[in-house]
Amino acid sequence: MTPILRFAPSPTGRLHLGNVRTAIVNWLFARKSGGRLMLRIDDTDLERSTAAHAAAIETDLAWLGLDWDLFARQSDRFDRYAEAADRLRAAGRLYPCFETPEELELKRKLALSRGRPPIYDRAALKLTPREIQDRMAAGERPTWRFKLERGTVAWDDMVRGPVEIHAESMSDPVLIKADSQPLYTLSSVVDDVEFAVTHIIRGEDHVANTAVQSQLFEALGAAPPTFGHFSLIADASGGKLSKRTGSISLENLRDDGIEPMSILSLLAKLGTSDPIEIHTGIAQLIQEFEIGKFGRSQPKLDVVELEHLNAKLMHLLPFEDVAARLPAGATAEFWDAVRGNLLRLGDALQWWDVIEGAVTPVVADPEFLALAAQHLPDGKLDGSSWGTWTGAVKAATGRKGRELFLPLRLALTGVDHGPELARLLPLIGRERALRRLEGHAA
Ligand code: GLU
């Protein structure tokens, strides 16, 4: 049986770290198992969903390098949900409720004040067919609730192991709103049945949904798929992932220069027994993926970790992989000189300017620099020039260490830190170096 998975975002905003993780895990599962992945746009909420967000989700996934084999948009499928609702009604599993939101809130408060869980009391089940007819005829529009079967819902969760939930602890969920809009609980199951989804992997915030949806699968005549619920990410502080961290969008990260492989390397492993390390290619992540490696404890996420991974990635990427994104004219020698000093690819520009652009030399001791200039080796500078040069300047001045190197760096690059000068010097070249040692912007 070919596994069929789905990633089902609601297009009410940009993809963020939380739902990107779900996308990555489902994608890796599909690719590892030779299965198929569906991208399903959960846009039944027509007020909050936008076509622009749906399009951005596709762009973001493509940028990450995640593809999909099947595609569905829930707003194209309202007739399917209506048909399923009819079947549930005919089976006596969907019943109309006329309580207003205010009445329901009052019931909730009352239950809580009596120390009872705020579970819907099924008062609507006591309405006679006549009463229902009259209220409908009078123009009242009911919500429709799914009648849960009493008893325990149990499944063997791919991450959490055996899970049991008592249906008595849950309210009969509303599947259809008063304005006839089907809710996610229903549309999701209808699609999972119709597209023969075999594995649903999502966050543990969906565990209660799974209990309800398992009954819904059965009510619609289908066996529930295999479920896996991974632990949600916590902030570095250990608390629940804050809105701020949790809502960091892929777009923000991309604008910030974080590479897809840094994000994939982190999110593929977060919460698993594997170490989090930079991977330069997605193939290895597929190879190492196993849903059983996900644990139950809450993984912590510090966005700084993404920057560390990104810096490591810069270090490892060969010139061919980045050439197209470097300034025109940049060579492999340039890349080798600077990549160890980059947090993000865009930082290379600063060093390209040091080589090709006008640097404002920082000159504290012009006499020393004038002397140093006299010792700069003749001819074309190469990898050994820096050593030869500083050796000569040291012998001539008695300076060593920082006292020797820092004034040269400040004059040649305008800043007190950066890539090895042994590599930069040949790129800067003799003439430009001499001008900078004289204090001229060059
Ligand atoms: N649209 C739902 C969400 O984003 C999908 C949940 C699911 O995987 O079933 O939460």
Side-chain angles (χ1 to χ4, degrees), residues 6 8-10 40 42 184 188 202 206:
R6 84 305 195 268
S10 304
R40 190 181 85 198
D42 279 6
Y184 149 78
S188 182
R202 53 192 180 186
H206 282 289

Side-chain angles (χ1 to χ4, degrees), residues 248-289:
I248 292 178
S249 68
L250 269 201
E251 188 187 27
N252 294 152
L253 294 172
R254 182 175 45 208
D255 291 351
D256 224 24
I258 304 294
E259 302 288 321
M261 274 321 299
S262 306
I263 298 168
L264 292 165
S265 297
L266 178 72
L267 295 183
K269 301 292 184 175
L270 201 66
T272 74
S273 48
D274 283 345
I276 292 172
E277 300 165 331
I278 192 68
H279 287 64
T280 51
I282 212 162
Q284 203 191 341
L285 287 173
I286 298 174
Q287 205 188 351
E288 292 167 3
F289 179 83

